[in-house]
Amino acid sequence: MKLLTGVTATIALSTGIAMAQDVSGDAVKIGAMVDMTGVYSANGGMGAVLGAEMAIEDFGGEVNGKPIELLSANYQNRVDVASNLAREWVDQEGVDMIIESTDSAAAIAIQNIGKEKDILTVAAGSASTALTNNECSPTGIHYVYDTFALATGTGNAIVKNGLTDWFFITADYAFGHSLEENTATVVKELGGNVINTVRHPFKATDYSSFILQAQSSGAQVVAFANAGTDFSTALKQASEFGVVQGGQTIAGMLVFLTDIYALGLDVAQGLTYTTGFYWDYNDETRAFAERFKERHGSMPTMIHAGFYSAVTHYLKGVEATGSDDPATVRAWMGENPINDFFAKDGYIREDGRMMHTMYLAQVKSPEESEGEDDVAKVLREIPAEEAYMPLAKSTCSLVNG
């Protein structure tokens, strides 16, 4: 019985070019595992699958004479489903690479399966730094962002503006814990304090008790270490409780374009956040975003754009090496820079971290906005070496082993 829990899309455009000598099977197969129905469905979901589809189409639908096939499925925000699906894709479908936009626990499970079965995996939606530390893998790549970069960008900006006392409202699972820990470290290193932390369950609907604790704490900053609809729901309720009107600053530690759309500028205006991509940054980002919107109906998030970039870089590796062997392709991907609309002079380190510029952004006010998609502005670039954890601090066995 198939474990595919969502849509399976296949792109296979054959040509008359001679078949590659060292590509296994009759096709190069990529599996995209996403949340299609849950809290991450807007920032990843079918938009991430579309990003992969567009990358394959722009590549010509084949590589070295082999058709490229894309399988996609909904993992239902369940680690067991993600794990079973990954094993089925590898064992029964012959998938060569798995790319995900899942939660961190599922991403770690997928990366471990990739290591076990010698399959390349790309984490393009999850955030935990464990992926490039204790759980690092010679066949694993962490592509779009991570909790260290989010904490570095937003934490630095807010503390350096004199707001030093923080209260965390944190999602109670691997991603939330990692984001809170990384941000708290930045705050403390800059001389700030963590007044208190409360943790909420995944897919919570009522944040009132957490918000009231934050308001009574005396903290200058109320930081939401959560994502997706958890974040947007919490922020809406914080607005209803008058957190900002009461003199506190809200820090969104992981904010997606889709969150800003969901919240509206009246609620989200002034929110400072860190992102790996903003659609209106330059001519290249705008060109991709307009093509994406024609098919998806809205501008791409950093995950959507990151899927396109990661799939393209992978396919370039297969093309250049004439092989889908994970070690061979991974070596090429690490040795060759990434230069596209998503990253300039990006590169993949030995721990699997894809190093690229991050951006400190701010949500515009309704008065500043010039259209429905004109929702944010980039305040500054954060160079990769500043944004991401230095290798000197890494606990990855590939670095210190």
Side-chain angles (χ1 to χ4, degrees):
M1 178 178 176
K2 295 287 186 183
L3 279 172
L4 295 183
T5 53
V7 178
T8 298
T10 301
I11 298 173
L13 306 179
S14 300
T15 71
I17 300 174
M19 302 293 270
Q21 295 297 311
D22 297 315
V23 173
S24 60
D26 295 322
V28 174
K29 293 188 177 182
I30 298 170
M33 198 179 306
V34 301
D35 171 13
M36 296 181 182
T37 54
V39 297
Y40 307 123
S41 57
N43 52 49
M46 291 307 299
V49 176
L50 175 58
E53 288 177 352
M54 291 175 66
I56 294 169
E57 290 168 4
D58 288 350
F59 212 81
E62 60 85 31
V63 56
N64 295 342
K66 292 284 191 178
I68 305 164
E69 295 184 8
L70 177 67
L71 286 71
S72 62
N74 179 11
Y75 83 111
Q76 302 175 19
N77 289 323
R78 290 173 53 186
V79 176
D80 61 330
V81 173
S83 298
N84 290 334
L85 181 59
R87 292 183 184 279
E88 180 187 323
W89 274 354
V90 175
D91 295 339
Q92 299 180 32
E93 302 289 345
V95 164
D96 300 297
M97 186 269 269
I98 298 175
I99 184 168
E100 61 76 32
S101 69
T102 63
D103 63 86
S104 292
I108 290 169
I110 293 167
Q111 182 163 286
N112 285 335
I113 290 169
K115 182 178 181 180
E116 171 195 336
K117 294 185 172 291
D118 194 29
I119 291 295
L120 201 66
T121 60
V122 178
S126 49
S128 175
T129 52
L131 287 160
T132 53
N133 280 290
N134 291 346
E135 302 290 345
C136 72
S137 164
T139 56
I141 295 170
H142 200 179
Y143 207 86
V144 177
Y145 67 100
D146 64 24
T147 54
F148 190 95
L150 299 173
T152 299
T154 306
N156 260 303
I158 293 176
V159 175
K160 287 180 178 178
N161 278 339
L163 303 176
T164 57
D165 295 334
W166 288 56
F167 186 105
F168 285 92
I169 298 177
T170 301
D172 194 12
Y173 59 101
F175 153 72
H177 300 172
S178 180
L179 185 51
E180 176 197 313
E181 179 183 357
N182 289 145
T183 309
T185 297
V186 170
V187 169
K188 292 173 183 177
E189 286 178 349
L190 293 172
N193 306 295
V194 176
I195 302 299
N196 202 358
T197 294
V198 292
R199 291 179 171 172
H200 68 79
F202 181 55
K203 294 192 289 188
T205 56
D206 184 3
Y207 295 84
S208 57
S209 65
F210 309 122
I211 293 169
L212 288 171
Q213 289 180 65
Q215 286 181 301
S216 63
S217 71
Q220 297 167 300
V221 181
V222 179
F224 289 105
N226 53 12
T229 55
D230 277 342
F231 169 71
S232 57
T233 301
L235 193 60
K236 285 177 182 177
Q237 292 181 17
S239 177
E240 293 167 1
F241 276 81
V243 171
V244 173
Q245 293 88 333
Q248 292 174 300
T249 294
I250 291 177
M253 300 313 303
L254 177 53
V255 180
F256 291 98
L257 181 65
T258 45
D259 298 323
I260 301 172
Y261 287 149
L263 291 164
L265 298 187
D266 284 333
V267 173
Q269 62 181 305
L271 187 67
T272 299
Y273 65 101
T274 301
T275 184
F277 172 84
Y278 182 58
W279 77 266
D280 197 22
Y281 188 62
N282 58 34
D283 289 343
E284 286 184 274
T285 60
R286 284 188 285 272
F288 172 77
E290 293 292 349
R291 286 203 300 136
F292 183 91
K293 184 179 180 180
E294 285 179 9
R295 296 171 62 169
H296 190 61
S298 63
M299 294 301 184
T301 67
M302 62 174 164
I303 293 176
H304 301 156
F307 257 61
Y308 180 102
S309 179
V311 169
T312 299
H313 193 55
Y314 169 73
L315 292 174
K316 286 181 177 179
V318 174
E319 180 180 58
T321 62
S323 172
D324 60 0
D325 173 69
T328 302
V329 178
R330 172 64 181 87
W332 186 95
M333 292 175 73
E335 293 164 0
N336 290 271
I338 299 154
N339 281 296
D340 56 20
F341 69 86
F342 181 79
K344 296 300 178 189
D345 295 320
Y347 63 96
I348 300 171
R349 294 191 311 199
E350 55 263 51
D351 63 344
R353 175 68 260 163
M354 199 283 263
M355 301 289 287
H356 65 102
T357 300
M358 296 287 288
Y359 305 93
L360 185 69
Q362 188 175 61
V363 179
K364 290 185 174 182
S365 67
E367 294 72 30
E368 290 177 287
S369 175
E370 297 181 358
E372 63 177 358
D373 294 314
D374 182 28
V375 297
K377 55 189 175 185
V378 173
L379 301 178
R380 77 175 184 95
E381 294 184 351
I382 307 172
E385 284 68 26
E386 176 186 334
Y388 292 104
M389 180 181 292
L391 284 177
K393 292 185 177 181
S394 176
T395 57
C396 173
S397 60
L398 302 173
V399 176
N400 298 320

